[in-house]
Amino acid sequence: MSDRKAMLKELQEISFTADDLREIYTFMGDLDGLAIRYASASPDQEKLQAEVTEILEKECAAAKAADVQTWNRYSDEFHLVFYRLAESAERLRSGISIFSNQYCRETVIQTRIDEEHLAIFQAYKDGDIEKAVQMMKTHLNDSLNYALRFLPKTF
């Protein structure tokens, strides 16, 4: 079993509160923003941008085809591609996949996330790294709100 699959299995057995999710998504927004900053310093921008473009094309096509499993993979990959310059951070990012795999089953949410990913990448390609970082944080805050809907209600 891969490290990522083992981590996902482990995380699935942990219970989360709304405050836990808020902290996790805020933290991941900060980390994803840092990953974008690191990626922007990479000398191989053409390769990175080609990879992200391919990921986004496949992500959007999967959403249109209502292929949830493929969409999940490419939505996660959109975030993870920026972490390639900081490999240890990739494992942290994979933990958030547990919740996104729940809320991403809704086509409306997939479409909105696709639009956010496309806009983040456009800002990145335009060289407006700070805008991409802020958009990533907003995107993850939106994702947090989706994830909070899937927490078990406690009385």
Side-chain angles (χ1 to χ4, degrees):
M1 181 180 302
S2 73
D3 287 342
R4 182 171 179 191
K5 285 183 182 178
M7 177 179 262
L8 287 172
K9 185 177 188 296
E10 205 173 293
L11 285 171
Q12 287 172 334
E13 298 170 2
I14 299 171
S15 65
F16 291 93
T17 66
D19 285 341
D20 292 336
L21 282 182
R22 284 184 189 91
E23 185 175 349
I24 289 166
Y25 276 78
T26 299
F27 181 69
M28 292 314 303
D30 290 342
L31 283 180
D32 282 12
L34 285 172
I36 285 174
R37 281 195 183 99
Y38 282 112
S40 73
S42 171
D44 201 357
Q45 287 300 302
E46 195 170 302
K47 180 180 176 185
L48 177 82
Q49 290 187 22
E51 185 175 359
V52 175
T53 298
E54 182 179 344
I55 289 166
L56 288 170
E57 288 170 356
K58 290 178 179 179
E59 176 183 320
C60 293
K64 286 179 184 170
D67 182 347
V68 174
Q69 186 175 10
T70 300
W71 186 88
N72 277 336
R73 184 172 70 243
Y74 288 110
S75 179
D76 287 347
E77 188 62 24
F78 171 79
H79 293 269
L80 295 174
V81 71
F82 293 104
Y83 283 84
R84 302 244 195 280
L85 299 173
E87 287 182 29
S88 61
E90 185 175 2
R91 287 186 296 191
L92 283 173
R93 183 65 183 76
S94 66
I96 213 164
S97 298
I98 293 169
F99 290 99
S100 67
N101 288 338
Q102 295 298 313
Y103 59 73
C104 68
R105 297 173 192 269
E106 298 177 25
T107 305
V108 172
I109 293 173
Q110 287 178 354
T111 301
R112 179 159 183 191
I113 288 172
D114 290 345
E115 290 168 356
E116 291 172 352
H117 285 175
L118 289 164
I120 292 165
F121 185 50
Q122 187 60 55
Y124 181 87
K125 287 193 310 184
D126 292 345
D128 195 344
I129 302 308
E130 288 310 308
K131 181 177 180 180
V133 167
Q134 289 308 311
M135 291 172 78
M136 180 65 80
K137 289 181 179 185
T138 299
H139 164 61
L140 281 167
N141 188 60
D142 292 344
S143 293
L144 165 63
N145 290 324
Y146 300 138
L148 287 171
R149 295 181 1 202
F150 288 91
L151 276 181
K153 303 290 185 222
T154 55
F155 297 95

